[in-house]
Amino acid sequence: MKKTITFSLIFIFSCVLLTAYLVKLYLQIPSDWTSEGIIKRELHSEKLVTKFHIDEKAIHPYSRELIMKGNIDGKGLLYIGVPETYVKMDTIQNEFEIKYHGDWYGDTCYVSFEPIDMTKGELLIDYKIHSSKK
């Protein structure tokens, strides 16, 4: 009887320790996720569409940060969003830098460049899409 009680107490104590350890591990799992990257594109006199996706581990995107910079030898239009319903448009020329931060709920974002009067240039897109796992 004494051995059974001792074994039961050790078992219960071990279960409590294991539960506490698992709770600690669970609380360390981040609920926020940031997908980020840098995309570099050469610009020419034809339209260019670039897209980027959230990380597969992220589930619910809620915002994005974009820094787009570069240079062109003339003028062009830069669109941000999704095709057919771009949410932002900027006219760019010569050396440019555009920062954009806003809500974003899709798993893919597009940047479209449409030349107006140019022959060559370069575009660098530094992006972050913030998501949650829950």
Side-chain angles (χ1 to χ4, degrees):
M1 178 77 166
K2 197 174 185 182
K3 287 183 180 180
T4 305
I5 293 174
T6 304
F7 177 76
S8 297
L9 288 175
I10 290 172
F11 179 75
I12 292 170
F13 183 70
S14 298
C15 288
V16 168
L17 284 177
L18 179 63
T19 302
Y21 177 73
L22 292 175
V23 167
K24 179 182 175 189
L25 284 179
Y26 177 77
L27 293 176
Q28 291 176 347
I29 296 172
S31 61
D32 288 332
W33 194 266
T34 300
S35 303
E36 56 188 318
I38 296 175
I39 299 172
K40 186 176 182 179
R41 296 284 187 257
E42 295 293 322
L43 301 176
H44 303 285
S45 58
E46 64 270 354
K47 185 176 180 176
L48 171 76
V49 176
T50 300
K51 65 181 178 177
F52 43 92
H53 305 278
I54 65 169
D55 192 297
E56 291 178 5
K57 296 175 187 171
I59 297 174
H60 302 289
Y62 59 85
S63 76
R64 66 181 166 187
E65 298 174 43
L66 301 173
I67 299 174
M68 297 170 291
K69 55 186 171 183
N71 58 65
I72 60 175
D73 65 347
K75 276 188 180 178
L77 297 173
L78 205 54
Y79 297 91
I80 305 166
V82 295
E84 309 303 324
T85 57
Y86 287 107
V87 295
K88 178 130 172 80
M89 186 270 295
D90 285 289
T91 302
I92 57 173
Q93 59 186 4
N94 305 323
E95 197 166 315
F96 62 91
E97 182 172 327
I98 299 167
K99 294 180 181 181
Y100 179 75
H101 176 78
D103 292 346
W104 187 249
Y105 304 105
D107 64 353
T108 305
C109 182
Y110 291 81
V111 172
S112 176
F113 171 75
E114 200 172 295
I116 294 174
D117 176 22
M118 57 85 61
T119 55
K120 63 181 180 172
E122 183 177 84
L123 172 65
L124 183 72
I125 305 168
D126 185 355
Y127 70 91
K128 292 180 184 175
I129 300 178
H130 303 286
S131 307
S132 68
K133 290 186 175 185
K134 298 178 180 179

